[in-house]
Amino acid sequence: MLYDQYFIDDLKDRADLVRIIEPYAPLKKKGSNWMACCPFHQEKTPSFSVNPSKGFYKCFGCGKGGNAFTFLMEMEGLNFPEAVQRVAEMNGVPLPEPIDDGQYQQNKQRKEERKQLSEQVIELNKIALEFWEEELQGKSKKAKDAKKYLDERGISEEIQKQFRVGFSPDSWDALLNHLKEKGADEKLIEQSGLVTLNEDRNSLYDRFRGRLMFPVLDINGNPVAFGARAMGDDQPKYLNSPETPAYIKGQHLYGLFQSKDALRQKKFAILVEGYLDLIALYQFGITNVAASLGTAFTPEQSKLLSRFTKKVVINYDGDDAGIKAAKRAIEHLLPQDFEIKVLVLPNGQDPDDFVRANGTDGYNEARGRAATFLNFMLDASLKGRSLANPKQKAEAIEEAMPILAAIKNSIQKRESFDQAMNFYRVEDAGLKRELWLTVKNGHQVETSVVQRQVRRATLVKMTVAEQHLLELILPDTELRDQVLILLEETDYDTLATAPIFAALYELQQQKLEPTVERLLNLVGGDEYFGDLVPLLMMSEPKRSAGDVIDDVFHDAENCIFTLRSMAIQNRLHDLSRELIEAEQTGDNARISHIVAEHLDLSKMHHSLLNKIAQT
């Protein structure tokens, strides 16, 4: 009985080696390894070592070593298929349908052919890399400009050599001709991704021209792909290799070959987005760093990184795209049981700019203030949103759910969930129970279900002030015109009736009187407004025809003051949260701005309370 090699490799990665070996050899943790007296021979001093992150064991006494499968084969006398079944059973992994011998042999032959083709492409990549390295040292004007650019970026000759930086000449066929001179087959050259096919002319030309070249090395130092940066205004600014027999996107980390020893030594990784971010940090002596190659971080990259460390600091760009990418990375790192922090540098700076401006000490100081992944996720979900707005609150909670669901440890998941519910001020016990049931079993989070759950429980009730104000202005055209001039959008945008106020403004601009049909058409098909609007429209005018407007206007003005006071209180609460976030990142400019706004709003709030008290 045989199983597909992909399943076997995946099962080996997922196997809990400590749990498998523990019944046969009582293990004790020692650093990143576990030690015991060897179960294969008699000894008094433990020399049997288990490394769960790498998935292997080794006895330094008798020399036996291997993985989860070989351990059970030796210890329990199982054959290989039986060991696969046993490991799958112990780890709760369902077995796929076994494949027959003929299919196995066919798959094996196809894999051997793919491996051979991959090795041939890597050989071409090696030739190309040496060609580009030599070009960077050449005498052409563009090569000199490339060298000057690297010098201006502070990238030393030593770092250039360490990362094998090169330069592709601005020519349509320089590399193509060079590869042919080396005896490379044209069909293989086309498969390598080093060239592009011009379909109109049915001819090949160099993919990379006039660019700085950054090779992507696999864990053994083989060049499997390339990243290229334009020197001038050429677009795209960054150009990457396509997928080839040697390279599948999302399965490699840039700089990992150079950084793997530092990752093991320092026991944590700094994850950045781009080539130059990584090289800049490396230039400043920060060598435990890897880059996700400008693509969305993948589960495969997470597994690759877990072979070297279980701690990571994500330091992507501080803009919206970088924050979104960091959240995706967190989702893929959590199932691998990483300890995760997130560093968002002040003023939206990227690691390259920041380390050049602040040096190694400044960067390490900022890294020391990195937020836990949960605090980062909670703060990021409220960016541009307010908890006082039911729709925005629902969106924030919905955004957090996949990350909460991705947490592997059940105790950590529950504690993080409770912390998130407190942060979002979710007090409804029924909603908490529904949300917990949604996330506790993993990633299967239905967006529409979550949104419906949250919207239903967080829909705020209409306050006395907003109800009274609407009952005053809906039947009174003159009063309505005067009140709408005084109302500001921030006075009502977090209220349950915000869509009604917005609809009144729109009808006023169109010089139309509000009717039930017109209001319902503008506020949408929400069931809540379907019941509320007709009731409000039945309100009787608060003054008779010909009566002066003073009394009802004073009453309406008092409602506005009350609503504005509530809006300011909500904003002050948001500012307190933003201040904590700014202090964590050391963003002094933002701290000053928040404090100034908080002071102004506090004064305004105090003034409004006085006006309300005097009425």
Side-chain angles (χ1 to χ4, degrees):
M1 191 183 301
L2 299 166
Y3 296 100
D4 183 82
Q5 189 62 42
Y6 176 83
F7 170 77
I8 292 171
D9 292 341
D10 184 61
L11 180 61
K12 184 172 64 176
D13 290 339
R14 294 168 65 177
D16 187 342
L17 195 57
V18 170
R19 181 183 170 195
I20 290 170
I21 292 175
E22 183 74 38
Y24 304 96
L27 295 164
K28 290 186 179 180
K29 200 167 191 318
K30 188 174 182 181
S32 60
N33 294 340
W34 295 73
M35 299 295 295
C37 289
C38 180
F40 298 112
H41 80 285
Q42 295 294 322
E43 63 177 4
K44 294 182 179 179
T45 304
S47 62
F48 182 79
S49 176
V50 179
N51 189 314
S53 66
K54 295 177 184 175
F56 72 83
Y57 63 88
K58 176 72 176 177
C59 177
F60 295 98
C62 67
K64 285 188 180 293
N67 55 36
F69 305 131
T70 56
F71 182 84
L72 291 173
M73 289 168 69
E74 291 217 35
M75 189 57 62
E76 297 188 5
L78 305 177
N79 60 32
F80 184 73
E82 290 170 339
V84 170
Q85 293 178 57
R86 185 94 164 85
V87 172
E89 177 187 320
M90 295 176 76
N91 288 273
V93 177
L95 286 165
E97 287 295 321
I99 58 178
D100 60 50
D101 289 358
Q103 184 182 351
Y104 174 77
Q105 291 300 329
Q106 288 177 2
N107 289 341
K108 184 178 180 182
Q109 183 177 350
R110 281 197 297 267
K111 286 173 183 175
E112 285 296 327
E113 290 171 354
R114 284 200 298 267
K115 182 181 178 184
Q116 185 178 15
L117 187 56
S118 170
E119 290 172 350
Q120 290 173 336
V121 169
I122 286 174
E123 287 304 311
L124 289 191
N125 286 345
K126 289 178 179 178
I127 295 171
L129 179 52
E130 290 172 0
F131 175 72
W132 288 328
E133 284 179 304
E134 290 178 10
E135 283 293 322
L136 183 60
Q137 307 304 322
K139 303 297 183 183
S140 72
K141 182 181 183 303
K142 292 203 171 183
K144 289 179 179 178
D145 289 343
K147 288 288 287 182
K148 182 180 178 183
Y149 173 83
L150 292 170
D151 291 340
E152 289 172 350
R153 296 295 294 256
I155 301 172
S156 68
E157 290 274 355
E158 180 185 351
I159 295 294
Q160 291 174 38
K161 290 178 181 176
Q162 191 168 357
F163 285 89
R164 304 198 64 183
V165 180
F167 178 72
S168 56
D170 193 6
S171 165
W172 290 99
D173 56 7
L175 177 62
L176 176 62
N177 291 334
H178 181 71
L179 292 173
K180 287 180 177 179
E181 288 171 6
K182 293 288 185 179
D185 176 71
E186 188 165 308
K187 185 178 179 182
L188 181 63
I189 295 173
E190 184 178 346
Q191 291 179 289
S192 71
L194 296 169
V195 296
T196 301
L197 175 65
N198 183 325
E199 294 183 357
D200 293 336
R201 299 183 179 181
N202 194 30
S203 60
L204 300 175
Y205 61 92
D206 291 359
R207 177 181 295 275
F208 305 107
R209 304 178 305 280
R211 290 172 175 265
L212 277 168
M213 303 302 301
F214 299 89
V216 179
L217 307 181
D218 67 12
I219 203 63
N220 298 311
N222 297 312
V224 293
F226 298 93
R229 190 191 191 283
M231 292 302 304
D233 297 326
D234 292 348
Q235 293 298 323
K237 185 176 179 181
Y238 290 97
L239 181 63
N240 299 319
S241 291
E243 290 198 351
T244 70
Y247 175 65
I248 299 175
K249 290 180 181 179
Q251 293 193 355
H252 299 271
L253 288 166
Y254 180 75
L256 186 60
F257 172 71
Q258 290 89 348
S259 302
K260 57 186 179 181
D261 291 338
L263 298 185
R264 291 186 177 120
Q265 182 182 357
K266 297 187 178 181
K267 295 182 173 58
F268 75 96
I270 298 170
L271 186 64
V272 298
E273 287 184 277
Y275 315 107
L276 291 171
D277 285 333
L278 183 143
I279 288 175
L281 292 178
Y282 222 93
Q283 181 71 55
F284 279 80
I286 302 165
T287 56
N288 53 323
V289 59
S292 50
L293 295 168
T295 59
F297 192 79
T298 65
E300 290 76 15
Q301 288 174 323
S302 176
K303 291 176 183 177
L304 178 60
L305 190 61
S306 71
R307 291 168 56 183
F308 302 93
T309 181
K310 282 291 188 178
K311 294 182 180 180
V312 62
V313 176
I314 301 171
N315 184 197
Y316 287 174
D317 292 354
D319 57 13
D320 289 343
I323 289 172
K324 187 177 180 181
K327 286 189 282 192
R328 282 198 301 266
I330 291 169
E331 283 187 56
H332 294 314
L333 288 162
L334 283 172
Q336 296 297 319
D337 217 15
F338 272 89
E339 181 181 318
I340 309 165
K341 290 190 174 183
V342 183
L343 171 58
V344 179
L345 296 169
N347 304 317
Q349 289 178 288
D350 60 30
D352 186 359
D353 293 335
F354 185 87
V355 76
R356 294 184 194 287
N358 298 275
T360 305
D361 291 342
Y363 182 85
N364 286 334
E365 183 181 340
R367 182 182 52 74
R369 295 194 299 269
T372 65
F373 80 88
L374 184 61
N375 287 339
F376 163 80
M377 179 270 294
L378 294 174
D379 289 336
S381 71
L382 275 190
K383 189 175 182 182
R385 296 182 176 127
S386 171
L387 288 175
N389 184 307
K391 181 176 182 294
Q392 293 176 5
K393 181 174 182 175
E395 289 170 348
I397 295 174
E398 176 192 335
E399 195 173 289
M401 296 290 277
I403 290 178
L404 292 171
I407 299 172
K408 185 177 180 181
N409 182 283
S410 58
I411 295 174
Q412 184 188 13
K413 179 182 285 191
R414 182 72 219 200
E415 289 178 348
S416 299
F417 175 83
D418 290 341
Q419 186 178 334
M421 294 301 100
N422 290 334
F423 176 85
Y424 292 125
R425 289 182 258 160
V426 175
E427 298 172 358
D428 185 284
L431 174 62
K432 284 184 183 178
R433 185 165 53 252
E434 286 184 43
L435 293 178
W436 172 243
L437 289 173
T438 303
V439 303
K440 76 172 185 176
N441 292 322
H443 285 282
Q444 301 304 314
V445 179
E446 286 287 342
T447 298
S448 58
V449 172
V450 173
Q451 197 167 45
R452 192 164 57 249
Q453 291 169 341
V454 177
R455 287 293 300 279
R456 186 176 68 244
T458 59
L459 186 65
V460 293
K461 293 182 174 63
M462 182 170 53
T463 64
V464 173
E466 64 188 290
Q467 179 178 348
H468 189 49
L469 181 59
L470 285 168
E471 289 173 347
L472 281 168
I473 66 175
L474 278 170
D476 192 328
T477 302
E478 183 184 1
L479 178 63
R480 184 170 63 251
D481 289 342
Q482 293 190 31
V483 165
L484 291 180
I485 293 172
L486 296 177
L487 263 178
E488 298 174 6
E489 187 176 353
T490 52
D491 294 334
Y492 63 80
D493 66 352
T494 62
L495 301 178
T497 56
I500 298 178
F501 283 103
L504 289 175
Y505 273 104
E506 188 165 339
L507 290 172
Q508 186 188 47
Q509 288 179 343
Q510 298 175 22
K511 295 183 170 49
L512 295 173
E513 283 291 311
T515 64
V516 171
E517 292 76 16
R518 287 170 179 166
L519 287 173
L520 288 177
N521 185 50
L522 290 171
V523 300
D526 195 302
E527 182 181 335
Y528 174 74
F529 294 114
D531 295 333
L532 178 61
V533 168
L535 286 173
L536 291 171
M537 288 299 293
M538 292 170 62
S539 303
E540 294 292 329
K542 305 302 180 186
R543 65 181 178 123
S544 301
D547 286 353
V548 294
I549 201 172
D550 294 19
D551 287 342
V552 290
F553 179 79
H554 180 72
D555 201 4
E557 190 178 40
N558 193 44
C559 290
I560 293 173
F561 291 156
T562 301
L563 296 178
R564 190 165 295 167
S565 172
M566 291 163 49
I568 290 174
Q569 281 183 302
N570 288 331
R571 178 57 184 155
L572 288 171
H573 186 278
D574 289 342
L575 285 173
S576 297
R577 175 184 54 79
E578 290 176 18
L579 182 60
I580 293 171
E581 180 185 335
E583 287 173 342
Q584 288 175 340
T585 60
D587 192 340
N588 293 325
R590 190 176 172 214
I591 290 171
S592 299
H593 178 78
I594 292 170
V595 169
E597 185 180 352
H598 197 286
L599 185 61
D600 290 342
L601 287 176
S602 296
K603 290 178 181 177
M604 191 184 300
H605 189 240
H606 182 71
S607 175
L608 282 171
L609 291 178
N610 285 336
K611 288 181 180 179
I612 295 169
Q614 291 168 10
T615 58

